[in-house]
């Protein structure tokens, strides 16, 4: 923990982005020896748990737009960790799946991700980490639009 006083500021977006950047740098550092960034591991982990899924559905699960998902998938496909094929049910869709190498890489990388999780929870507190994930999950499903009236 820092010796500096905690100033939450007034901007929700800034506070969230600062925390996200710090946590992302930490996870990236923990995952460095795997050659994967935290976001890439997250994608592999989702695919390992869910199996093949359309790019649009995967993007939705991770609250990304399709262009950002495509940008994140390109290096994984290039490195042979995922396959992207024309959808079985709708040829306009792209179906993403782990390759054999992707399955192996996700399994080999998981212990480092688990270590990062444990270290964060040790520093932040297990209950606070759970509360944080619950709050973030609520934020991720909010229906916010710029033209909404404030009551």
């Amino acid at each position: 923990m820092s010796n500096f006083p905690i100033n939450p500021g007034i901007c929700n977006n800034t506070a969230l982005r600062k925390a996200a950047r710090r946590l992302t740098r930490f996870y990236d550092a923990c995952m460095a020896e795997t050659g994967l960034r935290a976001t890439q591991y997250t994608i592999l982990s989702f695919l390992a748990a869910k199996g093949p899924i359309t790019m649009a559905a995967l993007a939705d699960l991770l609250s990304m737009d399709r262009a950002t998902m495509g940008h994140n998938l390109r290096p994984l496909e290039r490195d042979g960790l995922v396959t992207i094929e024309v959808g079985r049910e709708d040829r306009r869709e792209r179906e993403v799946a782990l390759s054999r190498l992707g399955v192996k890489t996700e399994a080999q990388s998981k212990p480092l991700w688990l270590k990062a999780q444990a270290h964060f929870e040790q520093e932040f507190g297990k209950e606070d980490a759970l509360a944080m994930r619950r709050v973030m999950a609520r934020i991720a499903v909010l229906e916010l639009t710029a033209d909404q009236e404030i009551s």
Side-chain angles (χ1 to χ4, degrees), residues 13-25 132 136:
N13 186 54
T14 299
L16 190 60
R17 292 179 61 83
K18 282 173 59 176
R21 282 191 293 271
R22 179 163 303 255
L23 204 51
T24 297
R25 281 193 304 269
M132 177 203 63
M136 295 301 112

Side-chain angles (χ1 to χ4, degrees), residues 41-53 58 82 96-98 102-104 106-107 110:
Y41 175 76
T42 298
I43 291 169
L44 297 183
S45 178
F46 265 90
L47 291 171
K50 301 242 179 242
I53 188 171
L58 184 59
V82 301
V96 184
L98 283 179
V103 170
K104 181 180 174 185
E106 190 276 335
K110 191 171 201 150

